[in-house]
Amino acid sequence: MGSFVETTLAPGETVKYQARVSVWSLWFLILLGVATIWFMFGFVFFLIAFLKWWSTELAITDKKVVAKYGLISRQTVEILLPRIESIQVQQGFIGRICNFGTLVMSGTGTAQAPIVGISDPLMFRRVLLSIQEEVKS
């Protein structure tokens, strides 16, 4: 079975850029895991952090942006490139240092769609805007 992004591709559609959730964005869960490892349930925090990292998919294709969160309970966001009107990058102090943040995209007829904890959000934004320009041409 392929990834979620691969299953959503239309015929002839290609993935231009894929991103991951930053491990640094999961720092609190990892810290809790380290702090509670002696109590035998620190493993649970490590497992939760791993599953959040592993079950999140982010991609830009030549037609849309796709994001999928969750393993059992799944949330997906798909916005066509021509429909994206604005994209915001939100980074706190730790996010700026460790290069992760939240992207908030809004589009025509679409509520704001946040993508939380993405690694190198400025690169994702730059690639998205570049591909959007290619599509317009």
Side-chain angles (χ1 to χ4, degrees):
M1 184 163 82
S3 72
F4 176 79
V5 171
E6 290 172 359
T7 63
T8 64
L9 296 178
E13 186 175 8
T14 59
V15 175
K16 297 287 189 177
Y17 183 79
Q18 287 188 305
R20 299 282 318 171
V21 168
S22 172
V23 173
W24 292 108
S25 70
L26 304 168
W27 69 271
F28 189 70
L29 287 171
I30 294 168
L31 183 65
L32 282 175
V34 169
T36 59
I37 196 75
W38 308 111
F39 301 112
M40 299 303 227
F41 57 85
F43 174 73
V44 172
F45 292 113
F46 289 130
L47 183 62
I48 292 169
F50 173 76
L51 289 176
K52 282 187 178 198
W53 174 83
W54 182 72
S55 67
T56 302
E57 294 183 49
L58 309 164
I60 304 171
T61 72
D62 52 355
K63 297 183 183 192
K64 63 189 171 199
V65 174
V66 181
K68 189 258 317 177
Y69 311 96
L71 185 64
I72 298 170
S73 172
R74 178 183 294 176
Q75 288 183 306
T76 62
V77 175
E78 291 184 46
I79 303 176
L80 295 174
L81 290 178
R83 302 280 187 215
I84 297 173
E85 292 180 343
S86 71
I87 183 166
Q88 301 171 5
V89 176
Q90 299 172 347
Q91 286 182 299
F93 178 71
I94 295 174
R96 294 265 304 155
I97 292 171
C98 298
N99 198 21
F100 70 89
T102 299
L103 290 172
V104 181
M105 291 181 287
S106 59
T108 309
T110 306
Q112 289 187 341
I115 300 174
V116 180
I118 185 173
S119 183
D120 201 358
L122 294 174
M123 175 61 80
F124 190 92
R125 180 184 168 274
R126 191 174 15 250
V127 170
L128 174 61
L129 293 175
S130 171
I131 294 171
Q132 242 183 345
E133 286 300 316
E134 287 177 19
V135 169
K136 286 181 184 176
S137 301

